[in-house]
Amino acid sequence: MSDLRPTAVIVLAAGEGTRMKSTTPKVLHTIGGRSLVAHAIRAARGTSPHHLAVVVRHERDRVAEHVAQVDPEAVVADQDDVKGTGRAVECALQSLPEGLDGTVVVTYGDVPLLSSETILELTAMHDASGDAITMLTSRPQDPTGYGRIVRGADGAVEAIVEQKDATEDERAIREVNSGIYAFDARFLREALSEVGTDNAQGEMYLTDVVVIARRRGLAVHADLVDDVWQTEGVNDKVQLARLGAELNRRTVEQAMRDGAIVIDPSTTWLDADVTIGPDTVVRPGTQILGASTIGRDCVIGPDTTLTDVEVGDGASVVRTQAELAEIGPGATVGPFSYLRPGTRLGAKGKIGGFVETKNADIGAGAKVPHLTYCGDATIGEGANIGAGTIFANYDGVTKGHCTVGAHSFIGSNSVIVAPRTIADGAYVAAGSAVVSDVAPGQLAVTRAQQRNVDGWVARRRAGTRTEEAARAAQALASTEHTSEQTSETKDAQR
Ligand code: UD1
Ligand code: CA
């Protein structure tokens, strides 16, 4: 077979999803960092169909806009006031080129784990058999709510009966319709024009085309899926969490097969787009989200959340929260570091404990080891930012930028008031408030001269333990002084 691509994949996403009890349309809820409908669209797109349509109605604009973002090539088809899956497919066909033939696959926008491979297998099976309809069925523990597969004495599929229309006997059937089908395009178009709304829900059922096929003497093939998760849909928030956990289990397993070492898969959450290099260790309690990419031989976690973060090979990121940041190869971050958007840490650089960074470009080998706020700053290669340094980037009205040059050294507990430039090879003395630029080779000191007031404790804190301690220390010092003098005298006499 040369062309296994389906002619079209139609993703149904017009339903209301009332059981979600949410102001967000059901298909826009996310698992693994992607909306439900984005998962469905990616699976569909992965089969390289000639056409891909997404049917919308409920919250039409929000869903349509999202679909256009996820897959600009997808056709957004509007369903009208006629309800039902049959009408949804009919509306999709109307927005695709007229007279389409070949295989049309229908999937659901609220079924996120269906894979491209499964759609391709279904398509191949359908193409090979030449049947009018090929569909995926499953046998869930509890078939309540699903359409039941009614098979004839010869085992052939005769009809799909919806829960609400089913007789007692039909409700006892365990095999159910997954809602994923491959159709012959011409047959589908013709059959849909015959489908009515004479049923318990007053809807145009897509499932009615099965009976129409049988009436015409056409074959309908149903295939039980091996992997039931792939056909499970989300109807409420309990299922959202269940499918989210299963997706995560699969993503983490894939990461391990690709070479990552995951210490505790059950507390590790990886979004679907994340990549992790071989021999990187992911420790417990870690979430790697968005479009994060992690190099090889890194240590990530424990208790770390990275969102859209790029981590170079051999870096270590421990107990850290980071978003839209770049961490260079061999760099170390944490514990207890907070990297906000626009943080870039160079190769072998360091961001240590209780450090917050934002829009900060920290050069290779530079160190910001302790208790610092580093916002809107460029730190040169090999510079050292002392403990407790604050880049005062905001004056209440505007934000300003600071630069610290290569191999410069900022003493502890300094504040650099933006906008300011400290050149390469400069020093700032501990405890300084830097309000003017510092040139290469200079030392900036802004603190007041130290003044030691003799006898202050004795005068102002008489009777305290402090005064007692001072007296004892003074007495000891004077004896030592005397004995030193004695030994000096002896030395002189020698
Ligand atoms: C449907 C099937 C049922 C199957 C079940 C599997 C029909 C008549 N029934 O039932 O046999 O067992 O799926 O989950 O097809 N949708 C639209 N427009 C509509 C109605 C629905 O686009 O007018 C979309 C929904 O957004 C959803 C999908 O179609 O993605 C299924 O809709 P849903 O209401 O969940 O179908 P069920 O009644 O559960
Ligand atoms: Ca459903």
Side-chain angles (χ1 to χ4, degrees), residues 119-335:
I119 301 175
L120 283 172
E121 280 165 24
L122 175 69
T123 310
M125 198 163 31
H126 181 78
D127 290 356
S129 72
D131 289 343
I133 308 171
T134 307
M135 59 190 194
L136 294 180
T137 63
S138 68
R139 285 177 182 277
Q141 276 303 326
D142 178 11
T144 309
Y146 289 100
R148 307 298 204 284
I149 305 297
V150 180
R151 290 181 185 264
D154 58 352
V157 178
E158 295 293 338
I160 301 173
V161 182
E162 293 306 297
Q163 171 86 20
K164 286 180 178 150
D165 303 289
T167 63
E168 200 77 359
D169 282 354
E170 286 165 342
R171 284 184 188 185
I173 297 171
R174 286 268 320 277
E175 188 183 8
V176 305
N177 172 26
S178 70
I180 316 292
Y181 328 74
F183 297 99
D184 174 72
R186 287 170 190 280
F187 162 75
L188 181 62
R189 211 168 23 242
E190 287 169 23
L192 281 172
S193 68
E194 292 175 29
V195 171
T197 56
D198 183 18
N199 51 54
Q201 302 185 79
E203 292 185 1
M204 252 183 90
Y205 289 166
L206 176 59
T207 46
D208 281 358
V209 302
V210 171
V211 170
I212 294 169
R214 300 302 293 139
R215 234 191 274 134
R216 294 189 185 184
L218 299 171
V220 176
H221 183 80
D223 197 54
L224 264 173
V225 287
D226 308 322
D227 177 10
V228 286
W229 288 101
Q230 289 207 32
T231 58
E232 252 196 59
V234 172
N235 294 303
D236 59 27
K237 285 168 178 162
V238 175
Q239 285 171 318
L240 185 72
R242 245 171 67 81
L243 289 180
E246 176 60 18
L247 173 62
N248 186 61
R249 200 190 61 73
R250 291 174 182 219
T251 308
V252 171
E253 196 173 296
Q254 188 58 49
M256 291 189 286
R257 294 200 192 289
D258 292 344
I261 299 165
V262 179
I263 305 296
D264 183 11
S266 66
T267 62
T268 299
W269 288 81
L270 304 180
D271 273 355
D273 288 331
V274 166
T275 61
I276 303 178
D279 288 328
T280 282
V281 179
V282 182
R283 292 189 178 148
T286 293
Q287 295 110 46
I288 308 178
L289 309 175
S292 295
T293 61
I294 315 293
R296 60 196 307 150
D297 300 312
C298 298
V299 174
I300 310 292
D303 304 326
T304 289
T305 303
L306 307 180
T307 307
D308 300 319
V309 174
E310 197 182 316
V311 180
D313 295 345
S316 152
V317 185
V318 176
R319 290 187 206 280
T320 289
Q321 169 106 12
E323 187 181 350
L324 285 165
E326 276 175 55
I327 296 167
T332 63
V333 177

Side-chain angles (χ1 to χ4, degrees), residues 428-450:
V428 169
S432 295
V434 177
V435 293
S436 55
D437 291 354
V438 183
Q442 286 186 327
L443 165 74
V445 199
T446 73
R447 57 187 188 231
Q449 200 76 51
Q450 183 171 337

Side-chain angles (χ1 to χ4, degrees), residues 359-482:
N359 278 340
D361 204 327
I362 301 167
K367 295 192 165 107
V368 191
H370 334 270
L371 302 157
T372 285
Y373 175 60
C374 182
D376 300 310
T378 304
I379 312 283
E381 179 185 315
N384 192 304
I385 309 300
T389 299
I390 303 295
F391 288 81
N393 61 329
Y394 185 50
D395 62 8
V397 182
T398 50
K399 295 255 165 80
H401 185 269
C402 290
T403 299
V404 174
H407 301 286
S408 287
F409 191 99
I410 309 298
S412 295
N413 197 36
S414 293
V415 52
I416 319 289
V417 182
R420 212 81 288 150
T421 297
I422 293 160
D424 292 356
Y427 262 71
V428 169
S432 295
V434 177
V435 293
S436 55
D437 291 354
V438 183
Q442 286 186 327
L443 165 74
V445 199
T446 73
R447 57 187 188 231
Q449 200 76 51
Q450 183 171 337
R451 192 161 65 93
N452 294 353
V453 183
D454 283 334
W456 188 92
V457 172
R459 286 196 304 280
R460 307 296 290 271
R461 294 291 182 270
T464 63
R465 300 285 290 266
T466 311
E467 195 224 350
E468 240 173 73
R471 255 193 287 120
Q474 281 159 347
L476 188 63
S478 70
T479 6
E480 274 169 5
H481 186 63
T482 320

Side-chain angles (χ1 to χ4, degrees), residues 11-17 19 26-27 55-57 79 82-89 107-111 145-148 160-162 176-179 181 201 203-208 231 233 235:
V11 179
L12 306 190
E16 254 189 71
R19 276 179 287 165
K26 174 162 81 175
V27 294
V55 186
V56 300
R57 186 185 60 219
Q79 186 176 352
V82 181
K83 287 198 170 165
T85 48
R87 184 59 181 169
V89 171
T107 69
Y108 288 172
D110 57 7
V111 174
Y146 289 100
R148 307 298 204 284
I160 301 173
V161 182
E162 293 306 297
V176 305
N177 172 26
S178 70
Y181 328 74
Q201 302 185 79
E203 292 185 1
M204 252 183 90
Y205 289 166
L206 176 59
T207 46
D208 281 358
T231 58
N235 294 303

